[in-house]
Amino acid sequence: MGSLTNYAENAVLEHLTRETAYTPAATLYLALCTGDPGEAATGASCNECSNSGNSYARAAITFGAATSRSISNSALVTFTTLTGSAGTASHFAICDSGTYAAGNVLAYGQFTESKVLVSGNTPTVAIGEIAISIASATLSNYAANGMLDRMFRNQAFTISANALGLATATISDSTTGSTVTEVANSNGYARLAINAAGGAQPSWASAGSASVTSNANQWTMPTPSGSWGTVVASFIANNATHASGEILIYDNGITDQAVGTDDVVYYATGQFSLTVA
């Protein structure tokens, strides 16, 4: 099973928060690596097999539709026949460039069985042998599958809005904007529109390079004119309308709070933190 690199994790954050829409490469390539590329891997630094005098080159790879927060290669990957030894490939990297030692690495992982790359060998990777997943419990299935399809299959995944909502029951990966047990649409409750960084407040902080982002300023909900019940979870949806849209991000870890008339309900700056892993 493979994981996203820091580069890809930050791209997910920026796309979901509407800071920078992710533009995928037209073709992705599989690189064979003699060691673990690591989360900080780049096309120039991923322990890729040597291409000196052996005809080694990256091979194009295609993926099937994402399901259950995972995506895998949908066709046999065939490399060029080697004319010399290229070492032993214990790991792989998914790159957005077919040029040796170039581009960005989106994901990496370890083969179940290493591949000995000797002269005359034509390395292949079986269908389904490369699988990439998003395990982060803060992203919904909708967001995880959508980003995998966007990044690895060049499928449209537009995030038209971010809106903060509150729930009176815990949220799961499969909860949607219409099935969430949201605070009732009364007593002044409404979702809070969150704009892209650089736009009108409130906004997100830049994702930077740490695979994490948070609220750039205080997010304050409308003032309650009556009871909202006990809030136990919060979420970011792609629609500001009550009981609608899809949940992108959720948090069941907040301290349960009974909200009553004229209470101030807010996230202090940096308190709503989102990490992709």
Side-chain angles (χ1 to χ4, degrees):
M1 185 68 72
S3 303
L4 298 183
T5 60
N6 291 339
Y7 170 84
E9 289 169 354
N10 286 317
V12 169
L13 288 174
E14 291 176 351
H15 190 92
L16 291 178
T17 59
R18 299 185 301 140
E19 183 170 341
T20 304
Y22 180 72
T23 302
T27 304
L28 295 180
Y29 297 87
L30 180 64
L32 301 178
C33 306
T34 58
D36 187 355
E39 285 200 355
T42 68
S45 178
C46 61
N47 290 319
E48 189 168 7
C49 294
S50 170
N51 71 337
S52 178
N54 54 27
S55 300
Y56 165 78
R58 296 174 182 178
I61 184 171
T62 58
F63 289 86
T67 181
S68 301
R69 311 172 73 90
S70 182
I71 197 165
S72 60
N73 61 304
S74 57
L76 179 73
V77 181
T78 303
F79 290 81
T80 55
T81 300
L82 298 172
T83 57
S85 175
T88 299
S90 58
H91 292 72
F92 63 85
I94 308 298
C95 306
D96 59 9
S97 172
T99 301
Y100 185 82
N104 301 294
V105 176
L106 305 181
Y108 67 100
Q110 184 173 5
F111 287 117
T112 302
E113 293 185 10
S114 295
K115 302 177 185 297
V116 181
L117 309 177
V118 297
S119 181
N121 179 250
T122 304
T124 60
V125 174
I127 295 172
E129 189 173 353
I130 303 295
I132 310 300
S133 64
I134 294 180
S136 175
T138 58
L139 299 189
S140 67
N141 289 341
Y142 172 82
N145 290 335
M147 283 308 306
L148 288 171
D149 279 334
R150 180 62 177 160
M151 188 168 287
F152 294 96
R153 296 181 61 231
N154 202 358
Q155 300 296 298
F157 187 57
T158 302
I159 307 299
S160 57
N162 275 184
L164 174 66
L166 304 176
T168 56
T170 56
I171 299 170
S172 72
D173 289 345
S174 59
T175 303
T176 70
S178 59
T179 62
V180 63
T181 308
E182 191 167 3
V183 170
N185 191 23
S186 61
N187 295 328
Y189 172 79
R191 293 180 183 177
L192 177 69
I194 308 297
N195 294 296
Q201 302 300 326
S203 65
W204 294 94
S206 173
S209 58
S211 304
V212 62
T213 191
S214 61
N215 52 316
N217 43 55
Q218 182 168 301
W219 291 352
T220 305
M221 299 293 287
T223 302
S225 58
S227 174
W228 287 2
T230 299
V231 174
V232 302
S234 62
F235 61 90
I236 300 293
N238 65 356
N239 194 305
T241 301
H242 186 270
S244 63
E246 296 285 352
I247 288 178
L248 305 173
I249 305 156
Y250 67 94
D251 181 11
N252 291 322
I254 67 174
T255 301
D256 295 359
Q257 298 180 58
V259 178
T261 304
D262 293 332
D263 284 345
V264 179
V265 182
Y266 68 95
Y267 271 100
T269 300
Q271 192 176 24
F272 192 106
S273 181
L274 170 62
T275 302
V276 175

